[in-house]
Amino acid sequence: MKKIINSKPDLSSQSFWDTDLHKLDFDRYASFTIIRVLERGTEHDIEEITRYYGKDKIVNAITTAKRLLPRAQILGKQLFHLSNEQLECLKSLPPAQNYSMY
């Protein structure tokens, strides 16, 4: 059976334990959906958001996010060949306070 290309992503509840996926507006909350999947989703979830949103929209969500869990940062860099300099969340980190090497 052939999948409809524009059909909503088939996502697991692993990433969305606190969200009703049947009510989620995937277009209106694209960045939320993309980031949540990259932070907590399965491999299938990542394939689904890639199919639904496409590379450009995912890269935009990753690079403009103010905060990303380390897993999303690593996946963004690996899957979409991004550098630390491209991730806004790494640019806006506050400087370490009361830090000493000794």
Side-chain angles (χ1 to χ4, degrees):
M1 189 160 100
K2 205 173 188 181
K3 276 190 174 181
I4 300 170
I5 293 178
N6 292 329
S7 66
K8 291 182 180 181
D10 175 31
L11 302 175
S12 69
S13 60
Q14 176 174 315
S15 302
F16 299 95
W17 68 93
D18 59 348
T19 306
D20 185 345
L21 285 171
H22 299 294
K23 294 180 181 179
L24 180 61
D25 184 337
F26 291 103
D27 296 317
R28 182 174 181 189
Y29 298 105
S31 290
F32 165 76
T33 304
I34 291 165
I35 290 167
R36 184 66 76 91
V37 165
L38 291 174
E39 289 180 341
R40 303 177 189 280
T42 66
E43 188 174 324
H44 174 76
D45 294 339
I46 294 168
E47 291 169 1
E48 282 293 297
I49 64 163
T50 303
R51 175 193 62 78
Y52 187 75
Y53 294 114
K55 178 185 174 185
D56 291 342
K57 196 163 196 166
I58 294 171
V59 167
N60 184 58
I62 297 168
T63 56
T64 60
K66 298 294 182 197
R67 294 183 311 161
L68 284 177
L69 291 179
R71 180 177 188 252
Q73 295 172 23
I74 292 166
L75 283 172
K77 291 189 279 187
Q78 289 176 342
L79 298 174
F80 303 103
H81 310 289
L82 300 174
S83 66
N84 285 349
E85 293 76 32
Q86 292 174 283
L87 299 177
E88 187 65 34
C89 65
L90 296 178
K91 292 179 189 176
S92 60
L93 288 175
Q97 301 282 326
N98 302 322
Y99 175 76
S100 173
M101 291 181 58
Y102 305 102

